Amino acid sequence: MKFTIIDYSDLYYIKFAPPRKPKRIDGKFVQMRHEGMEYLVFSPKEFSKYHADIVKTYCQGKGIDGVYDAQAKRFDIDDPAWVIIGGGKFVMNREEKVIRLYDNSMAYGRFEARGLKEKVLSVKRMSGYRVEIE
């Protein structure tokens, strides 16, 4: 299965909170799969209050239909080929090149940790990082 990382920190800190991206970013992430591809989608806590906001932002950007349930704080994708595995929180220290993945999502449950460290390190932009999973 192919793997990719999408990081809304770039969008947030360039478009909404200039002038520069901080050395340490705290936020949430979701882990999703679709047709042979696995996605890890990161978002700073200032940009996405809930895990559902991350899924909604991703889907809206890709033209994927879904329904936002404000009471449950969930965004459910209409296409059953999309699977939201789970989510958690992250701390990324860009200066020390460390990323810590921990906790879970109230809406989607815990992310799948098995093999995740190796997957994250397989992405070119994460080269040289230390991945800590709790």
Side-chain angles (χ1 to χ4, degrees):
M1 179 167 294
K2 294 181 180 179
F3 180 83
T4 192
I5 291 175
I6 296 154
D7 186 354
Y8 289 130
S9 301
D10 300 334
L11 170 67
Y12 177 74
Y13 290 109
I14 291 168
K15 189 172 183 178
F16 299 109
R20 65 174 190 253
K21 203 154 81 165
K23 299 204 183 322
R24 176 189 158 131
I25 300 169
D26 293 77
K28 296 182 178 196
F29 71 92
V30 293
Q31 185 180 29
M32 306 187 297
R33 286 194 186 117
H34 181 255
E35 298 181 348
M37 177 65 86
E38 183 174 328
Y39 302 84
L40 206 58
V41 187
F42 293 102
S43 185
K45 64 183 178 187
E46 300 89 351
F47 191 54
S48 301
K49 186 173 181 179
Y50 301 109
H51 287 93
D53 297 329
I54 300 170
V55 178
K56 181 181 175 187
T57 298
Y58 178 81
C59 289
Q60 287 179 335
K62 299 292 184 183
I64 301 166
D65 292 329
V67 177
Y68 192 92
D69 181 337
Q71 187 173 8
K73 297 176 181 73
R74 283 182 64 97
F75 185 88
D76 292 308
I77 302 171
D78 290 342
D79 182 349
W82 280 96
V83 177
I84 302 170
I85 300 163
K89 295 178 183 171
F90 76 93
V91 176
M92 183 182 304
N93 186 315
R94 297 180 325 115
E95 191 170 66
E96 295 178 14
K97 292 190 130 187
V98 176
I99 184 165
R100 182 169 67 103
L101 308 175
Y102 65 100
D103 209 3
N104 59 36
S105 163
M106 298 282 282
Y108 305 112
R110 183 164 168 84
F111 60 96
E112 189 176 284
R114 189 185 68 219
L116 190 56
K117 179 179 180 177
E118 293 77 17
K119 291 174 187 175
V120 169
L121 292 173
S122 75
V123 175
K124 186 177 182 177
R125 71 182 287 185
M126 300 306 290
S127 178
Y129 268 76
R130 185 173 79 240
V131 179
E132 300 174 351
I133 297 178
E134 296 174 13

